[in-house]
Amino acid sequence: MTQATSKPQAPSATLRGQITKKILHSIFTGEVVGGDRLIEEEVATKLGVSRTPVREALGELAALGLIHLKPNHGAVVAPFGPQQLREIYQIRRVLESEAARHTSEHVDLGTLRRMRERTQQLLQDGARTDALQGELLDLDQKFHELIASSCGSERLSAEIRRYWTLARSIGEAVGNKSHTQDRSLAEHARVMDAILANKNDEAAQAMADHLDRGLAAALGALCR
């Protein structure tokens, strides 16, 4: 993990999230591999933070199965490869397709329509400047966040966010490709159109198809 420079401490939850993402990145890029130990004190020193948020981040990663916490041995990185990636996306498929099935009952239609309009504009604009690339990633996050927050279940919403963070970290580690982002836009549009038409089963299937394609893209990038 990259050495951090000294800087003001962020609020606990934010800091924990930042540390979690840094550790995720080190796992998904292969900087640390299955069997490696993550020692709290060493991680804290490298990242320039105290041990408490590191301990919290390791606990969060253990709950997701990416590390194992062993008595008297600390945190040990779990193996990560194609099978583990498939499992992450299988869980996302179950969670987010079910959320999409119920979104039309709870979503703010004005927000959804504005997102749909911006998605269409980006689909029609073939240019992909650095600024637009950033907006594409931001819009992707907002799309999945809108589905999560509009599913009518706080527990389901929280689980979706946890696994979406994993997927985002994987994307950052293996590289987000423009053509993949463009396909995602079209797939998002299909989900939103089904929700706006109150076709709940179609929305669920469109989301499932989107995540199946996302898995294929992630596997291709990870195993290239």
Side-chain angles (χ1 to χ4, degrees):
M1 285 169 284
T2 304
Q3 183 86 22
T5 56
S6 178
K7 57 184 178 181
Q9 293 292 296
S12 178
T14 302
L15 186 57
R16 182 182 68 247
Q18 292 171 353
I19 295 167
T20 299
K21 287 183 178 180
K22 288 179 184 294
I23 298 173
L24 283 173
H25 189 270
S26 68
I27 293 172
F28 296 144
T29 57
E31 182 182 344
V32 295
V33 298
D36 286 351
R37 290 183 64 196
L38 295 176
I39 300 171
E40 281 183 18
E41 187 174 1
E42 292 182 359
V43 174
T45 299
K46 286 180 180 179
L47 299 181
V49 298
S50 69
R51 293 178 63 175
T52 298
V54 172
R55 186 178 305 116
E56 293 171 348
L58 292 175
E60 187 171 333
L61 292 169
L64 289 167
L66 292 172
I67 65 170
H68 302 304
L69 296 177
K70 297 186 176 182
N72 304 316
H73 199 67
V76 179
V77 178
F80 181 81
Q83 180 56 36
Q84 289 73 29
L85 186 60
R86 290 188 186 95
E87 291 172 0
I88 289 170
Y89 271 85
Q90 285 168 353
I91 294 172
R92 288 191 70 202
R93 190 183 197 275
V94 171
L95 297 174
E96 295 197 51
S97 61
E98 185 62 17
R101 190 187 309 277
H102 296 284
T103 295
S104 65
E105 305 165 27
H106 308 281
V107 72
D108 182 279
L109 291 175
T111 299
L112 182 61
R113 289 191 180 104
R114 288 190 294 273
M115 184 176 292
R116 179 64 181 88
E117 290 170 1
R118 184 54 182 155
T119 297
Q120 188 61 38
Q121 291 171 355
L122 289 169
L123 281 169
Q124 292 173 345
D125 184 355
R128 288 292 176 259
T129 62
D130 289 343
L132 276 178
Q133 291 283 27
E135 184 178 357
L136 286 170
L137 290 173
D138 184 57
L139 189 61
D140 181 80
Q141 179 172 354
K142 287 180 178 177
F143 167 77
H144 288 280
E145 174 63 29
L146 182 62
I147 299 299
S149 63
S150 304
C151 69
S153 168
E154 291 185 7
R155 187 177 296 274
L156 178 57
S157 179
E159 288 301 305
I160 288 171
R161 291 187 180 98
R162 285 210 305 163
Y163 279 90
W164 189 89
T165 298
L166 281 178
R168 180 66 175 265
S169 296
I170 293 168
E172 291 171 350
V174 302
N176 294 288
K177 304 300 182 182
S178 296
H179 69 277
T180 302
Q181 293 170 348
D182 290 345
R183 288 184 64 179
S184 290
L185 281 176
E187 291 159 1
H188 290 180
R190 182 182 166 209
V191 175
M192 288 186 281
D193 287 344
I195 292 171
L196 288 167
N198 290 313
K199 295 180 178 179
N200 297 336
D201 289 342
E202 287 188 19
Q205 186 59 56
M207 180 63 83
D209 292 344
H210 170 53
L211 292 171
D212 285 344
R213 202 275 312 158
L215 170 59
L219 282 170
L222 183 71
C223 302
R224 64 176 179 263

